[in-house]
Amino acid sequence: MKNQEFRKQNKMDLEPFFLALEDDRELLEEAFQILLEMVNNEPESIKNLALLIKDEYPKLYKEIIDLNGTKQDNGDTPSCCGGH
């Protein structure tokens, strides 16, 4: 019960932040860049983010998979995997 109250309060506190991200595309892009930098430094976070996207945002997950498949089909693989 206490956990639900915390989540509700936390959601209310973050609502202005989410509204600002919805209203300002540049702010949203900046937030994504910060998030990706944070995740990039923690390998376990990458897995957790991927699982979150897969479970909670299946359309986004499918789009990412489709984009990744398109890049691989074009031979555009990362340098770590033999690409240029």
Side-chain angles (χ1 to χ4, degrees), residues 20-30:
L21 292 178
E22 287 178 1
D23 292 342
D24 187 341
R25 182 183 174 107
E26 288 181 26
L27 187 61
L28 178 63
E29 289 176 9
E30 186 176 336

Side-chain angles (χ1 to χ4, degrees), residues 4-72:
Q4 284 181 328
E5 289 176 25
F6 176 75
R7 285 183 182 168
K8 186 177 180 180
Q9 180 64 39
N10 197 21
K11 185 177 179 179
M12 289 183 344
D13 292 343
L14 292 174
E15 191 168 343
F17 172 75
F18 292 131
L19 292 174
L21 292 178
E22 287 178 1
D23 292 342
D24 187 341
R25 182 183 174 107
E26 288 181 26
L27 187 61
L28 178 63
E29 289 176 9
E30 186 176 336
F32 274 123
Q33 285 189 342
I34 292 169
L35 174 65
L36 290 174
E37 287 176 18
M38 290 170 54
V39 168
N40 216 11
N41 292 326
E42 294 288 329
E44 189 64 29
S45 295
I46 294 170
K47 291 178 190 175
N48 291 338
L49 181 60
L51 290 172
L52 174 71
I53 292 171
K54 183 178 180 182
D55 293 342
E56 299 292 326
Y57 306 96
K59 289 180 183 179
L60 175 61
Y61 181 79
K62 183 181 180 333
E63 187 67 28
I64 291 169
I65 296 300
D66 290 347
L67 287 172
N68 188 45
T70 301
K71 284 184 179 182
Q72 288 182 359

